[in-house]
Amino acid sequence: SLHDALPIWVDADACPKVIKEILFRAANRTKLPLTLIANQTLAVPPSPYIRSVQVSAGFDVADNEIVKRVNAGDLVITSDLPLAAEVIEKGGHVLSHRGEWYSAANIRPLLNMRDFMDNLRASGVQTGGPPPMSASEQKAFAGHLDRFLASLPARIHVIILSRQYVNLPQVENRRMKGEALDFIPTDFLFTSAE
């Protein structure tokens, strides 16, 4: 079922529109649940796979909601390093808006650099913000997302059907050709890749 599929969580307050659009297309293509969490109302396209959750305003409220909901193996889209560190601790995967994977191997040095830059800014040094998102970063994000989603094991969609409504040779023929199946009779279970 949809709720058994790997969810994708989006730290949506700071997520660029172009990245959201890539995620919307991916959710509809893969039929994976995509949840955008923000402290503002978000417009999302009508889809059974896409929803938004509005949390109350406040420092780290959306981040805390994501941490509360995420499970090991889930994918979180964020460029917020402290949030990424918490997700990694819970066994989640983290992809930044700019197409960089955060992991147990790189999150500590990134957090240390962030803290160093915060200290510089606090002492009056003008460090500037991040540059605008480039086309190569958008492409990197889309490529990493596609490869990650393609690496997921095939999912099984089961709707219990009576044998009288199912042409088993036709179902088997579709399966042998590698076509995705939205139904599987209960006495004819197999894995269907999408």
Side-chain angles (χ1 to χ4, degrees):
S1 80
L2 180 62
H3 301 292
D4 297 330
L6 173 133
I8 303 170
W9 305 99
V10 182
D11 179 12
D13 284 317
C15 186
K17 183 177 186 218
V18 66
I19 297 302
K20 288 179 195 159
E21 289 167 358
I22 291 168
L23 289 163
F24 295 154
R25 288 192 299 272
N28 283 318
R29 185 181 75 244
T30 62
K31 300 180 180 174
L32 290 174
L34 174 70
T35 305
L36 291 84
I37 298 183
N39 57 26
Q40 57 189 313
T41 304
L42 295 173
V44 297
S47 167
Y49 311 107
I50 302 168
R51 68 189 182 114
S52 66
V53 174
Q54 184 176 355
V55 296
S56 59
F59 186 68
D60 285 344
V61 176
D63 295 359
N64 293 338
E65 186 66 21
I66 292 170
V67 170
K68 184 173 87 178
R69 291 173 180 241
V70 76
N71 292 305
D74 291 0
L75 176 60
V76 174
I77 309 300
T78 186
S79 291
D80 182 300
L81 293 173
L83 171 58
E86 289 190 74
V87 169
I88 290 164
E89 244 175 64
K90 289 188 76 174
H93 304 280
V94 183
L95 181 59
S96 82
H97 307 140
R98 293 179 182 266
E100 181 180 5
W101 284 108
Y102 297 142
S103 68
N106 70 6
I107 195 66
R108 289 290 151 222
L110 290 168
L111 280 168
N112 290 341
M113 178 57 74
R114 172 191 171 272
D115 293 344
F116 174 73
M117 297 303 282
D118 281 351
N119 288 336
L120 281 179
R121 283 188 287 276
S123 68
V125 175
Q126 295 296 314
T127 59
M133 178 171 265
S134 69
S136 64
E137 288 170 324
Q138 292 172 32
K139 189 175 175 186
F141 176 87
H144 285 307
L145 179 67
D146 282 346
R147 282 188 294 280
F148 178 81
L149 296 176
S151 75
L152 297 176
R155 297 179 313 284
I156 298 173
H157 295 278
V158 178
I159 299 173
I160 298 172
L161 297 174
S162 165
R163 281 187 66 99
Q164 68 190 35
Y165 297 115
V166 178
N167 177 337
L168 288 180
Q170 185 181 49
V171 169
E172 176 62 7
N173 186 37
R174 284 184 61 198
R175 185 183 72 83
M176 294 305 286
K177 290 195 298 189
E179 293 180 28
L181 300 176
D182 296 325
F183 61 88
I184 303 167
T186 55
D187 59 347
F188 197 74
L189 289 178
F190 50 82
T191 302
S192 67
E194 293 196 337

